[in-house]
Amino acid sequence: QACWDQDISNSLFPRDRNSSSAQMLRFSWNGQRPDVVSGTLVLLLSSLWLLLLSPLVSSLPLPSAAAAEGLDDCLNVEVPGYKGGDRQCFGTDELGMVCGWDGEPEEAYCELSTGGLQVCARRRGGGRCKPANNQPVTTKKHDREGEL
């Protein structure tokens, strides 16, 4: 402890080791090593900070899968092999034509997928996909009618 007191006094008050400030510093550390004292102080301040912020943080909405899904998402609703070619689109179909669920809220339309194939799709919020977001994702290999 004597070495510590002398070291801290020399580094902070090199000219006057016996000043009242140096004595106060020795008293305030109460004989503890500086890394222990500063670590404890940091821990206490961090805990206080978290306690003060926790009500604010808890009131924030948390991200979820539903939040990541927007009403304007263009969904691939194609049903391969559906009777009569309904609920699917082919390369010969006109873009924007109704491809399934005719007249129902789930009505879907032919859109061009990210891979360049025609896909039966609808907007998550209902209706035709908006132009800024009208490229549904598909895993199908081709859009030829009669071939699966």
Side-chain angles (χ1 to χ4, degrees):
Q1 181 179 352
C3 290
W4 158 246
D5 287 344
Q6 189 174 13
D7 289 345
I8 191 97
S9 295
N10 284 338
S11 63
L12 293 175
F13 311 104
R15 294 188 182 145
D16 187 5
R17 281 188 244 153
N18 293 319
S19 71
S20 60
S21 299
Q23 289 173 0
M24 185 73 119
L25 183 63
R26 279 196 293 271
F27 177 75
S28 68
W29 289 118
N30 198 18
Q32 295 293 319
R33 291 181 35 209
D35 55 340
V36 172
V37 173
S38 62
T40 304
L41 186 59
V42 167
L43 182 63
L44 287 173
L45 290 175
S46 299
S47 299
L48 181 61
W49 181 249
L50 287 173
L51 286 173
L52 292 173
L53 284 180
S54 63
L56 297 172
V57 172
S58 65
S59 67
L60 295 174
L62 295 175
S64 66
E69 299 172 346
L71 291 177
D72 288 338
D73 291 345
C74 192
L75 305 175
N76 176 351
V77 293
E78 197 156 279
V79 182
Y82 195 80
K83 63 182 178 201
D86 200 19
R87 300 186 182 182
Q88 51 197 324
C89 291
F90 306 102
T92 55
D93 291 335
E94 187 177 321
L95 280 177
M97 71 177 265
V98 174
C99 57
W101 297 272
D102 302 37
E104 298 179 34
E106 298 87 15
E107 190 170 67
Y109 307 84
C110 289
E111 300 288 355
L112 204 56
S113 73
T114 53
L117 302 175
Q118 294 237 22
V119 176
C120 190
R122 73 169 157 262
R123 188 173 155 261
R124 183 183 305 279
R128 185 161 181 206
C129 297
K130 296 202 172 189
N133 189 18
N134 66 349
Q135 289 191 312
V137 177
T138 184
T139 57
K140 71 182 187 178
K141 306 292 182 224
H142 62 81
D143 57 5
R144 293 182 298 273
E145 191 168 0
E147 297 179 37
L148 290 178

